[in-house]
Amino acid sequence: MLILILFVLAACESGSNEPASKSESSNKTGEEGTPKEGGTLSFYDFDDPKTLDPHKSIASATNSRIGLVYNKLVTFATGPDNFSSDEIVPDLAKDWEISEDGKTYTFHLRDDVKWQNIAPVNGRAFTSEDVIATMERIKNLPGPQANSLVSVESIEAPDDYTVIFNLSEPYAPLLNQLASFVMWILPKEATEGKVDLDNTAIGTGPFILESWKRGVEASFKKNPDYFEEGKPYLDGVTIYPNGDSMTEVNAFRTGQTDVILTDSKIDFETLKKSVPDAQIQSEIVTASRLFINQTRKPLDNILVRQAMSKAIDREGAWKSIYGNGEYNGYVMPTLEDWALPLDERKEYQEYDPEGAKELLAEAGFPDGFEVSMIVTDGYGPQLVTLAEWVAEDLKEIGIKVNIEVLEYGTFFSERWPSKEYDIGIGLVTPVTDPSDSLDPFFKSDGYRNWQGVNDPKLDEMIKQQYLIVDRDERIKYINEIERYLFENVTNHVNLFAYHIHHFKQPYVKGFDPHSNYGYLFMKNVWLDK
Amino acid sequence: MQELQTVEKVILKENTKMFQFKENCRRFIRSNPIGTISIGFILLVILISVLAPIIAPYDPVLQNRQSILIGPNGTHILGTDELGRDVFSRIVYGSRISLLVGFSAVVFSMIFGIFFGVVSGYFGGVIDMIVQRIMDAIMSIPSLILALFIAALLGPAIQNVIIALVIVETPRFARIVRGEMLRIRETNYVEASRSIGSSVFRIIWKHAIPNMGAPIIVLASLAFGQSIIAEASLSFLGIGTPPPNPSWGLMLSDASRFMETAPWLVLFPGLALALCVLAFNLLGDALRDFLDPKISSKK
């Protein structure tokens, strides 16, 4: 246990990222020796996605398959201490300028980029036309990604290697969102329907998608024409869709896979014991929450929701189920600069069953009531255990909870979006810009507002923060929004953030994960064997 | 006077039945020691499930958060699980769910099976064709997969598991009952009853059903064991009994993650399940041997 605590502390420290300079992040292999070429890296990942089309699905599974194939205009810095870095570095654009008034973004593109040599693109040069075609597709397809370009009025290409974005009003998170995983740049041919984007991917990235067998594996091979000299180091990458945790653990133990990712305390301990020389990296990536359908009575009463929040013993839950954890806010602590200070998050969410009972009595339910709770086992068994924990806590203050364990598809695509539930337990997606964790969930018309939050003042505040271009000012304002959510909305109820552990075989080098989906760092990975 | 005679008759009848029953029991115990042990074990399980609140030292869903994943010891004789719940109490209460599912599934599928079997066997012809082809269709799908499908469709709840199992088990009863019905229909006593003008209902109720008891009892015993294991399988796969109810299958499913670190979690519910199902299967075998002298003499 002591070791675990020390370990968590160490991990927290490593999470505090200083913005690394570009040269550092691209040249970080120095300390690990000279990279060797060759070898194939294999690991288990999320379940197979429905489609590989980046603009049809924001699913992590889609992005983890295609991230190796595509590039974006700009991307996030990756490196040993850069897990949640929001520092933007060049990708297809070699540099860029933002006008004084924040309404014009000019990107200068690399002129040495070629598409992968696959029909119908056949290795032609990448130009500004591809960028424009991709952006048009994003704007025209329905879906959350179009949101990012709402304030973009027009995009023009004065020549083959320059792209200009004209905005109607300043939009603070634009660069961040262009660097984020929905903005993969497709070849022009693909946007014209000449490529089967659901099942294949042709990009400019370090790896070529060789084959994708649903339910079996996605295999990638090195792109010999990749624009960064000498990269990637690996000959190939193989991604298996997730099996049950025992299978994954055993595959890693026997060396069949090179990396494994787990959030389970028990797997963590098993792996630590059975593969003692593995490299371990733990990062706060994910968080759980209790979402409440406030279109139903008595859950529309804020006192009831606050009582629920007070009733939950968060620290106890994370200690016994995950072995680690941290008080979470409406902006996750992965966005270190943007999240509320830890003390404040803790203050808002202290365990206080007596206070909860009082609140419930004040709301007119001294004897409690009965609700049903939806949860899925699609994220692994821990979440169901957590649901049982929360149900017990709520029972303590008189709220009887009936748990319904649903299959992932029913949970995520049916019951939750159509508000056919009382309360539920789910996860929070990590984001790279704070607005992404506010706008979709809490604006009355947010695309993932599946809780029925409807607060005009909050809507206005969320709209306002987009217009603040000064970073420090915006941080202050976002903090205000978060406090407002804690005090006046309390839906969802945050549970806690916790670690995901990466175990790497001792010979795996340069595997430095980043919270944004798509394995941005894979070009830097090499095998020392 | 007439009344007295009737009463006497009834008493006499009771006595002979009682006597017969006792005689049968004695014969069964003598010829089938394994079957006897099975019956004893099943009675014990029934007793445990009825007296669960007295036997179990803890509430089966109570989370003792100070003692999580503790091995068997003095306070928790079979240890605790990942939320600090007492494993022994959960197994004790779990027997209720297993028996409830087994019993309901068997009783309902027996009722439906007898109904369809009798109708199909007695009337024959087109009705027989239709009923039997539907039963064939259900039986052509592996039973666990069909149960999986139905339970997944209806959502995780105990009553849905029972519905799924009833649908799966009914054809087996219907098939056997139909065969018996075909045989009985042609017997002399049915012929006699029919010739003095008995109604169809009377023939079925008074002559047919009481005479097909043996194969139905054997099948019921086997189906009971199968239903228990099917409930556990469905719960194991997450579409049976919803948590935090202490179903044995659910306990095994949770425990599979802790196989290396907390083996008691998988050992004891697994043992309970295995013994229970074994008892029902052995009882089924024993009953078959006992009720069908042809088979037992062959052995």
Side-chain angles (χ1 to χ4, degrees), chain A residues 55-74:
Chain A
H55 305 145
K56 278 191 195 152
S57 173
I58 52 167
S60 46
T62 300
N63 288 286
S64 70
R65 305 299 193 281
I66 59 177
L68 303 177
V69 176
Y70 293 119
N71 288 97
K72 295 163 291 195
L73 278 182
V74 289

Side-chain angles (χ1 to χ4, degrees), chain A residues 253 381-382 388-389 393 405, chain B residues 63 65 85 156 257 260-261:
Chain A
R253 276 163 84 163
Q382 281 80 240
E388 291 179 63
W389 179 285
D393 277 340
V405 185
Chain B
Q63 302 173 2
R65 291 179 177 173
R85 294 172 297 203
R257 290 183 283 147
E260 278 174 48
T261 43

Side-chain angles (χ1 to χ4, degrees), chain B residues 62-85:
Chain B
L62 177 78
Q63 302 173 2
N64 306 295
R65 291 179 177 173
Q66 305 316 315
S67 40
I68 279 172
L69 287 177
I70 308 266
N73 61 29
T75 33
H76 300 281
I77 54 169
L78 299 185
T80 62
D81 70 2
E82 78 275 22
L83 284 171
R85 294 172 297 203

